Amino acid sequence: MTHIWVRSEARAHEERVGLTPQGAAKLRTAGYQVTVEESSQRILPIADYADAGCTIAPEFSWVDAPDDAIIFGLKELPEDGTPLRHRHIMFGHAYKGQPSGKILLDRFKVGGGTLYDLEYLTQEDGRRVAAFGYWAGYAGAAVSLMCWLAQQNGKTAGAVKAYPSANHMLMELQQELMALGTNRPTALIIGALGRVGTGAADLCQAMGVATTKWDMDETASGGPFPEVLAHDIFLNCILARPGTPVFVPASAKVASRKLSVIGDIACDPDSDFSPIKVYDRTTTWDTPALRVHDEPVLDVTAIDNLPSMLPAESSEDFAEQLLPHLMTLTTIDQGVWGRAQGWFDQATA
């Protein structure tokens, strides 16, 4: 019997989960054993998982799970250096030269476990089978707009929070925009045809932000891209990978520009292939804006768990996309799982 163990998230503000109680019930009906850890912050109540027939385990008890359990989480594990002996499904952020990624892979090598990175869970054509992209784009555009609004009042954006629903966030933003009268920023989205870009564009449209939408055709020249500097807000929705052009060079800090907010929604600043060269670290919920230049002002926001600002919608969306593939874990050496293991084997070779 294939055993899926849904762990609690250790990261602050991380309320999302990759499996809903309804999905767990379907897995149980299909013959899977499902264990779900209690959580002090998960958006969905543990009682619903118990009602679905899941075994309930204490928070963070996955370290003692049976060897054959497949540990399923979303964000990073505690950085305690312990060897990892299980098979883990999660976002590892480990294959693009990230320093923390090397440490994670070393833990797997020592422990004998395997990483099935959700970012590399793909169809044969390379398209990801499940992603939080839409809600990352939606929330990332919202935070970028919050940064711009703070600048209009001579401030730097304050802490952000999770919302009960997207409508709650929209209402709050709309009230702040109305206080400015007719003043609205312009935005440029790169990656506008993807999931992330679509979410960002939908938020901008809802807020009345005039938006320029670019995708592969508009960036095929490889740059430079002076149009980025001619907008108030730039939203990067392209994952960093070999060959990605530089959209914002380091010289942009002191260049003549209208640009005052960069929303790096793809958020991979420590990757060797990052297209945004004016900053080198992610920002946080408590401090969402990193001021990289004072005059003219330039803020970067790069929060790497943006969909957790809208945990209910993003969890339900992602879980629905992923469930059909969880149903194939009985043949974990094949299909999307086999391809994901191939990436891991290559990275640890």
Side-chain angles (χ1 to χ4, degrees):
M1 181 181 292
T2 301
H3 186 183
I4 300 176
W5 186 294
V6 180
R7 63 174 170 85
S8 179
E9 299 292 334
R11 181 173 183 160
H13 307 298
E14 189 49 83
E15 300 180 26
R16 294 174 296 170
V17 62
L19 180 67
T20 64
Q22 295 79 9
K26 291 179 180 178
L27 287 169
R28 294 269 300 140
T29 299
Y32 287 71
Q33 181 180 352
V34 182
T35 298
V36 180
E37 290 184 3
E38 296 173 325
S39 172
S40 57
Q41 59 187 21
R42 186 184 297 128
I43 188 66
L44 302 179
I46 194 67
D48 291 353
Y49 290 97
D51 291 343
C54 301
T55 300
I56 307 303
E59 192 168 28
F60 308 130
S61 59
W62 61 266
V63 293
D64 298 317
D67 289 345
D68 64 349
I70 301 170
I71 312 301
F72 178 25
L74 295 178
K75 299 302 288 185
E76 63 268 26
L77 299 169
E79 295 180 354
D80 56 14
T82 56
L84 298 170
R85 60 187 173 86
H86 293 98
R87 294 169 291 178
H88 282 257
I89 300 170
M90 58 181 281
F91 287 101
H93 302 294
Y95 299 157
K96 299 177 184 176
Q98 301 98 324
S100 59
K102 183 181 185 303
I103 296 171
L104 176 66
L105 293 176
D106 286 343
R107 293 172 66 187
F108 275 108
K109 289 176 69 174
V110 172
T114 304
L115 170 63
Y116 296 89
D117 195 314
L118 287 164
E119 185 178 337
Y120 293 83
L121 203 64
T122 63
Q123 302 287 9
E124 291 185 1
D125 62 2
R127 183 172 175 80
R128 287 171 61 181
V129 301
F132 285 101
Y134 179 86
W135 294 107
Y138 201 91
V143 175
S144 299
L145 188 53
M146 293 172 192
C147 292
W148 182 85
L149 283 163
Q151 291 175 352
Q152 307 316 297
N153 295 313
K155 300 177 181 179
T156 303
V160 298
K161 62 186 179 183
Y163 292 86
S165 72
N167 285 337
H168 285 81
M169 184 175 70
L170 291 178
M171 289 175 61
E172 185 175 293
L173 273 175
Q174 192 62 56
Q175 289 176 352
E176 294 186 37
L177 280 169
M178 289 174 63
L180 293 178
T182 59
N183 186 18
R184 294 290 185 276
T186 59
L188 171 64
I189 299 172
I190 294 184
L193 298 182
R195 290 171 172 147
V196 180
T198 300
D202 285 353
L203 184 283
C204 289
Q205 181 178 6
M207 293 294 101
V209 174
T211 305
T212 302
K213 301 177 185 179
W214 280 13
D215 210 84
M216 294 179 66
D217 288 347
E218 291 81 3
T219 59
S221 68
F225 303 107
E227 296 89 344
V228 171
L229 304 184
H231 291 75
D232 296 292
I233 299 172
F234 167 53
L235 301 173
N236 174 47
C237 302
I238 300 292
L239 282 171
R241 52 172 55 101
T244 300
V246 173
F247 302 138
V248 184
S251 60
K253 291 183 182 180
V254 295
S256 176
R257 55 178 163 79
K258 188 178 182 185
L259 181 70
S260 65
V261 176
I262 298 170
D264 191 5
I265 300 172
C267 194
D268 226 347
D270 57 354
S271 168
D272 296 337
F273 315 115
S274 174
I276 314 295
K277 300 302 185 184
V278 295
Y279 84 117
D280 60 1
R281 60 187 183 275
T282 58
T283 61
T284 66
W285 285 46
D286 291 334
T287 309
L290 173 65
R291 183 144 296 176
V292 297
H293 201 261
D294 289 318
E295 189 58 43
V297 66
L298 182 59
D299 290 336
V300 178
T301 179
I303 297 173
D304 62 4
N305 64 335
L306 283 163
S308 204
M309 290 179 63
L310 301 168
E313 288 100 336
S314 60
S315 292
E316 291 169 3
D317 183 19
F318 184 83
E320 183 178 0
Q321 296 174 55
L322 186 62
L323 182 61
H325 305 285
L326 293 178
M327 288 285 191
T328 68
L329 280 171
T330 51
T331 53
I332 197 170
D333 59 334
Q334 302 174 24
V336 296
W337 304 106
R339 285 188 286 275
Q341 182 165 354
W343 280 101
F344 172 78
D345 292 341
Q346 179 179 328
T348 55

Coordinates of all heavy atoms in Angstrom, one line a residue, residues 233-289:
I233 N 6.0 50.2 -12.7 CA 6.2 48.9 -12.1 C 6.6 47.8 -13.1 O 6.0 47.8 -14.2 CB 4.8 48.4 -11.4 CG1 4.4 49.4 -10.3 CG2 4.9 47.0 -10.8 CD1 3.0 49.1 -9.8
F234 N 7.6 47.0 -12.8 CA 8.0 45.9 -13.7 C 7.7 44.6 -12.9 O 8.2 44.4 -11.8 CB 9.4 46.0 -14.1 CG 10.0 44.7 -14.7 CD1 9.3 44.1 -15.8 CD2 11.1 44.1 -14.2 CE1 9.8 42.9 -16.3 CE2 11.6 42.9 -14.7 CZ 10.9 42.3 -15.8
L235 N 7.0 43.7 -13.6 CA 6.7 42.4 -13.0 C 7.3 41.3 -13.7 O 7.0 41.0 -14.9 CB 5.1 42.2 -12.9 CG 4.3 43.3 -12.2 CD1 2.8 43.1 -12.4 CD2 4.7 43.3 -10.7
N236 N 8.3 40.6 -13.1 CA 9.0 39.5 -13.8 C 8.3 38.2 -13.4 O 8.3 37.8 -12.3 CB 10.5 39.5 -13.3 CG 11.2 38.2 -13.9 OD1 11.1 38.0 -15.1 ND2 11.9 37.5 -13.0
C237 N 7.8 37.6 -14.5 CA 7.1 36.3 -14.3 C 7.8 35.2 -15.0 O 7.2 34.1 -15.3 CB 5.7 36.5 -14.8 SG 4.7 37.8 -14.0
I238 N 9.1 35.3 -15.3 CA 9.9 34.3 -16.0 C 10.8 33.6 -15.0 O 11.6 34.2 -14.4 CB 10.7 34.9 -17.1 CG1 9.8 35.7 -18.1 CG2 11.6 33.9 -17.8 CD1 9.0 34.7 -19.0
L239 N 10.7 32.3 -15.0 CA 11.6 31.5 -14.1 C 13.0 31.6 -14.7 O 13.3 31.6 -15.9 CB 11.2 30.0 -14.1 CG 10.0 29.7 -13.2 CD1 9.6 28.2 -13.4 CD2 10.4 29.9 -11.7
A240 N 14.0 31.8 -13.8 CA 15.4 31.9 -14.2 C 15.9 30.5 -14.7 O 15.7 29.5 -14.0 CB 16.3 32.3 -13.0
R241 N 16.5 30.5 -15.9 CA 17.1 29.3 -16.4 C 18.2 29.7 -17.4 O 18.2 30.9 -17.8 CB 16.0 28.4 -17.1 CG 15.1 29.2 -18.1 CD 14.3 28.2 -18.9 NE 13.5 27.4 -18.0 CZ 12.2 27.6 -17.7 NH1 11.6 28.6 -18.3 NH2 11.5 26.8 -16.9
P242 N 19.0 28.8 -17.8 CA 20.1 29.2 -18.8 C 19.5 29.8 -20.0 O 18.5 29.3 -20.6 CB 20.7 27.8 -19.1 CG 20.5 27.0 -17.9 CD 19.1 27.4 -17.4
G243 N 20.1 30.9 -20.4 CA 19.6 31.6 -21.6 C 18.6 32.7 -21.3 O 18.2 33.5 -22.3
T244 N 18.1 32.9 -20.1 CA 17.2 33.9 -19.8 C 17.9 35.3 -19.9 O 19.0 35.5 -19.4 CB 16.6 33.8 -18.4 OG1 16.0 32.5 -18.2 CG2 15.7 34.9 -18.0
P245 N 17.3 36.2 -20.7 CA 18.0 37.5 -20.8 C 18.0 38.3 -19.5 O 17.2 38.0 -18.6 CB 17.1 38.3 -21.9 CG 16.3 37.2 -22.5 CD 16.1 36.1 -21.5
V246 N 18.8 39.3 -19.4 CA 18.8 40.2 -18.3 C 17.8 41.3 -18.6 O 17.9 42.0 -19.6 CB 20.2 40.8 -18.0 CG1 20.1 41.9 -17.0 CG2 21.2 39.7 -17.6
F247 N 16.8 41.4 -17.8 CA 15.7 42.4 -18.0 C 16.1 43.7 -17.3 O 15.7 44.8 -17.7 CB 14.4 41.9 -17.5 CG 13.9 40.6 -18.1 CD1 13.4 39.6 -17.4 CD2 14.1 40.4 -19.5 CE1 12.9 38.4 -18.0 CE2 13.7 39.3 -20.1 CZ 13.1 38.3 -19.3
V248 N 16.7 43.6 -16.1 CA 17.1 44.8 -15.3 C 18.6 44.7 -14.9 O 18.9 43.9 -14.0 CB 16.2 44.9 -14.0 CG1 16.6 46.2 -13.3 CG2 14.8 44.9 -14.4
P249 N 19.5 45.4 -15.7 CA 20.9 45.3 -15.3 C 21.2 46.1 -14.1 O 20.4 46.9 -13.6 CB 21.6 46.0 -16.5 CG 20.5 46.9 -17.1 CD 19.2 46.2 -16.8
A250 N 22.3 45.9 -13.5 CA 22.7 46.6 -12.3 C 22.7 48.1 -12.5 O 22.5 48.9 -11.6 CB 24.1 46.1 -11.8
S251 N 23.0 48.5 -13.7 CA 23.1 50.0 -14.1 C 21.7 50.7 -13.9 O 21.7 51.9 -13.9 CB 23.6 50.2 -15.5 OG 22.8 49.5 -16.4
A252 N 20.6 49.9 -13.9 CA 19.3 50.5 -13.8 C 19.1 51.3 -12.5 O 18.3 52.2 -12.5 CB 18.2 49.4 -13.9
K253 N 19.9 51.0 -11.5 CA 19.7 51.8 -10.2 C 19.9 53.3 -10.5 O 19.2 54.1 -9.9 CB 20.8 51.3 -9.2 CG 20.5 49.9 -8.7 CD 21.6 49.6 -7.6 CE 21.4 48.2 -7.0 NZ 22.5 47.9 -6.0
V254 N 20.9 53.6 -11.3 CA 21.3 55.0 -11.4 C 20.8 55.6 -12.8 O 21.1 56.7 -13.1 CB 22.8 55.2 -11.3 CG1 23.2 54.9 -9.8 CG2 23.6 54.4 -12.3
A255 N 20.1 54.8 -13.6 CA 19.7 55.2 -14.9 C 18.5 56.2 -14.8 O 17.8 56.2 -13.8 CB 19.3 54.0 -15.7
S256 N 18.4 56.9 -15.9 CA 17.2 57.8 -16.0 C 16.0 56.8 -16.2 O 16.0 56.1 -17.2 CB 17.3 58.7 -17.1 OG 16.1 59.5 -17.3
R257 N 15.0 56.9 -15.3 CA 13.9 55.9 -15.4 C 12.6 56.4 -14.7 O 12.7 57.3 -13.8 CB 14.3 54.6 -14.8 CG 14.8 54.8 -13.3 CD 15.2 53.5 -12.7 NE 16.0 53.7 -11.5 CZ 15.6 54.0 -10.3 NH1 14.3 54.2 -10.1 NH2 16.4 54.2 -9.3
K258 N 11.5 55.9 -15.1 CA 10.3 56.0 -14.5 C 10.1 54.9 -13.5 O 9.4 55.1 -12.5 CB 9.1 56.0 -15.5 CG 7.8 56.4 -14.9 CD 6.7 56.4 -16.0 CE 5.3 56.8 -15.5 NZ 4.3 56.7 -16.5
L259 N 10.7 53.8 -13.7 CA 10.6 52.6 -12.9 C 10.9 52.9 -11.4 O 12.0 53.4 -11.1 CB 11.5 51.5 -13.4 CG 11.5 50.1 -12.7 CD1 10.2 49.4 -13.0 CD2 12.7 49.3 -13.2
S260 N 10.0 52.5 -10.5 CA 10.3 52.6 -9.1 C 10.0 51.4 -8.3 O 10.4 51.3 -7.2 CB 9.4 53.8 -8.5 OG 8.0 53.5 -8.6
V261 N 9.3 50.4 -8.9 CA 9.0 49.1 -8.2 C 9.3 48.0 -9.2 O 8.8 47.9 -10.3 CB 7.6 49.0 -7.7 CG1 7.3 47.7 -7.1 CG2 7.3 50.1 -6.7
I262 N 10.1 47.0 -8.7 CA 10.3 45.7 -9.4 C 9.7 44.6 -8.6 O 10.0 44.4 -7.4 CB 11.8 45.4 -9.6 CG1 12.4 46.5 -10.5 CG2 12.0 44.0 -10.2 CD1 14.0 46.4 -10.5
G263 N 8.7 43.9 -9.2 CA 8.1 42.8 -8.5 C 8.7 41.5 -9.2 O 8.3 41.1 -10.3
D264 N 9.7 40.9 -8.5 CA 10.3 39.7 -9.1 C 9.5 38.5 -8.6 O 9.9 37.9 -7.6 CB 11.8 39.6 -8.7 CG 12.5 38.5 -9.4 OD1 11.9 37.9 -10.3 OD2 13.7 38.3 -9.1
I265 N 8.4 38.3 -9.2 CA 7.5 37.2 -8.8 C 8.1 35.9 -8.9 O 7.9 35.0 -8.1 CB 6.2 37.4 -9.5 CG1 5.6 38.7 -9.3 CG2 5.2 36.3 -9.1 CD1 4.3 39.1 -10.1
A266 N 8.9 35.7 -10.0 CA 9.6 34.4 -10.1 C 10.6 34.2 -9.0 O 10.9 33.0 -8.6 CB 10.4 34.3 -11.5
C267 N 11.2 35.2 -8.5 CA 11.9 35.2 -7.2 C 13.0 34.2 -7.1 O 12.9 33.2 -6.4 CB 10.9 35.0 -6.1 SG 11.6 35.4 -4.4
D268 N 14.1 34.4 -7.8 CA 15.2 33.5 -7.8 C 16.5 34.3 -7.7 O 17.4 34.1 -8.6 CB 15.2 32.5 -9.0 CG 15.5 31.1 -8.6 OD1 15.9 30.9 -7.5 OD2 15.2 30.2 -9.4
P269 N 16.7 35.2 -6.7 CA 17.8 36.1 -6.8 C 19.2 35.5 -6.6 O 20.2 36.1 -7.1 CB 17.5 37.1 -5.6 CG 16.7 36.3 -4.7 CD 15.9 35.4 -5.6
D270 N 19.3 34.3 -6.0 CA 20.6 33.7 -5.8 C 20.9 32.7 -6.9 O 21.9 32.0 -6.8 CB 20.7 33.1 -4.4 CG 19.6 32.0 -4.1 OD1 18.7 31.9 -5.0 OD2 19.7 31.4 -3.1
S271 N 20.0 32.6 -7.9 CA 20.3 31.8 -9.1 C 21.4 32.4 -10.0 O 21.4 33.7 -10.1 CB 19.1 31.5 -9.9 OG 19.4 30.9 -11.2
D272 N 22.2 31.6 -10.6 CA 23.2 32.2 -11.5 C 22.5 32.8 -12.7 O 23.1 33.6 -13.4 CB 24.1 31.0 -12.1 CG 24.9 30.4 -10.9 OD1 25.1 31.0 -9.9 OD2 25.3 29.2 -11.1
F273 N 21.2 32.5 -13.0 CA 20.6 33.0 -14.2 C 19.5 34.0 -13.9 O 18.7 34.3 -14.8 CB 19.9 31.8 -14.9 CG 20.8 30.5 -15.0 CD1 20.4 29.4 -14.3 CD2 22.0 30.6 -15.7 CE1 21.3 28.3 -14.3 CE2 22.8 29.5 -15.8 CZ 22.4 28.3 -15.1
S274 N 19.5 34.6 -12.7 CA 18.5 35.6 -12.4 C 18.6 36.8 -13.4 O 19.6 37.4 -13.7 CB 18.8 36.2 -11.0 OG 17.9 37.3 -10.7
P275 N 17.4 37.2 -13.9 CA 17.4 38.3 -14.9 C 17.3 39.7 -14.3 O 17.2 40.7 -15.0 CB 16.1 38.0 -15.7 CG 15.2 37.4 -14.7 CD 16.1 36.5 -13.8
I276 N 17.3 39.7 -12.9 CA 17.2 41.0 -12.2 C 18.5 41.2 -11.4 O 18.7 40.5 -10.4 CB 16.0 41.0 -11.2 CG1 14.7 40.5 -11.9 CG2 15.8 42.4 -10.6 CD1 14.2 41.3 -13.0
K277 N 19.3 42.2 -11.8 CA 20.6 42.3 -11.3 C 20.8 43.4 -10.3 O 22.0 43.8 -10.0 CB 21.6 42.5 -12.5 CG 21.6 41.3 -13.5 CD 22.0 40.0 -12.8 CE 22.1 38.9 -13.9 NZ 22.3 37.6 -13.3
V278 N 19.7 43.9 -9.8 CA 19.9 45.1 -8.8 C 19.7 44.6 -7.4 O 19.7 45.5 -6.5 CB 18.8 46.2 -9.2 CG1 19.1 46.8 -10.5 CG2 17.4 45.7 -9.1
Y279 N 19.5 43.3 -7.2 CA 19.3 42.8 -5.8 C 19.8 41.4 -5.7 O 20.0 40.7 -6.7 CB 17.9 43.0 -5.3 CG 17.0 41.8 -5.7 CD1 16.4 41.0 -4.8 CD2 16.7 41.5 -7.1 CE1 15.5 40.0 -5.1 CE2 15.9 40.5 -7.4 CZ 15.3 39.7 -6.4 OH 14.5 38.7 -6.8
D280 N 20.0 40.9 -4.5 CA 20.6 39.6 -4.3 C 20.0 38.8 -3.2 O 20.6 37.8 -2.8 CB 22.1 39.8 -4.0 CG 22.4 40.6 -2.7 OD1 21.4 41.0 -2.0 OD2 23.6 40.8 -2.4
R281 N 18.8 39.2 -2.7 CA 18.2 38.4 -1.7 C 16.7 38.6 -1.7 O 16.2 39.6 -2.2 CB 18.7 38.8 -0.3 CG 18.5 40.2 0.1 CD 19.2 40.5 1.4 NE 19.0 41.9 1.9 CZ 19.7 42.9 1.5 NH1 20.7 42.8 0.6 NH2 19.5 44.1 2.0
T282 N 16.0 37.5 -1.2 CA 14.5 37.6 -1.2 C 14.1 38.6 -0.1 O 14.9 39.0 0.8 CB 13.9 36.3 -0.9 OG1 14.4 35.8 0.4 CG2 14.2 35.3 -2.0
T283 N 12.9 39.1 -0.2 CA 12.3 39.9 0.8 C 11.3 39.1 1.6 O 11.0 37.9 1.3 CB 11.6 41.1 0.2 OG1 10.5 40.7 -0.7 CG2 12.6 42.0 -0.6
T284 N 10.7 39.6 2.6 CA 9.9 38.9 3.6 C 8.5 39.5 3.8 O 8.3 40.6 3.3 CB 10.6 38.8 5.0 OG1 10.6 40.1 5.5 CG2 12.0 38.3 4.8
W285 N 7.7 38.7 4.4 CA 6.4 39.3 4.8 C 6.5 40.5 5.7 O 5.7 41.5 5.5 CB 5.5 38.2 5.5 CG 5.0 37.1 4.5 CD1 5.7 36.5 3.6 CD2 3.7 36.6 4.5 NE1 4.9 35.6 2.9 CE2 3.7 35.6 3.5 CE3 2.5 36.9 5.2 CZ2 2.5 34.9 3.1 CZ3 1.4 36.2 4.8 CH2 1.4 35.2 3.8
D286 N 7.4 40.5 6.6 CA 7.5 41.6 7.5 C 8.2 42.8 6.8 O 7.8 44.0 7.1 CB 8.4 41.2 8.7 CG 7.7 40.2 9.6 OD1 6.4 40.2 9.6 OD2 8.4 39.4 10.3
T287 N 9.1 42.6 5.9 CA 9.7 43.6 5.1 C 9.7 43.3 3.7 O 10.6 42.8 3.1 CB 11.2 43.8 5.6 OG1 11.3 43.9 7.0 CG2 11.8 45.0 5.0
P288 N 8.5 43.6 3.0 CA 8.3 43.1 1.6 C 9.1 43.9 0.6 O 9.3 43.4 -0.5 CB 6.8 43.3 1.4 CG 6.4 44.4 2.4 CD 7.3 44.2 3.6
A289 N 9.6 45.1 0.9 CA 10.3 45.9 -0.1 C 11.7 46.1 0.3 O 12.0 46.5 1.5 CB 9.6 47.3 -0.2

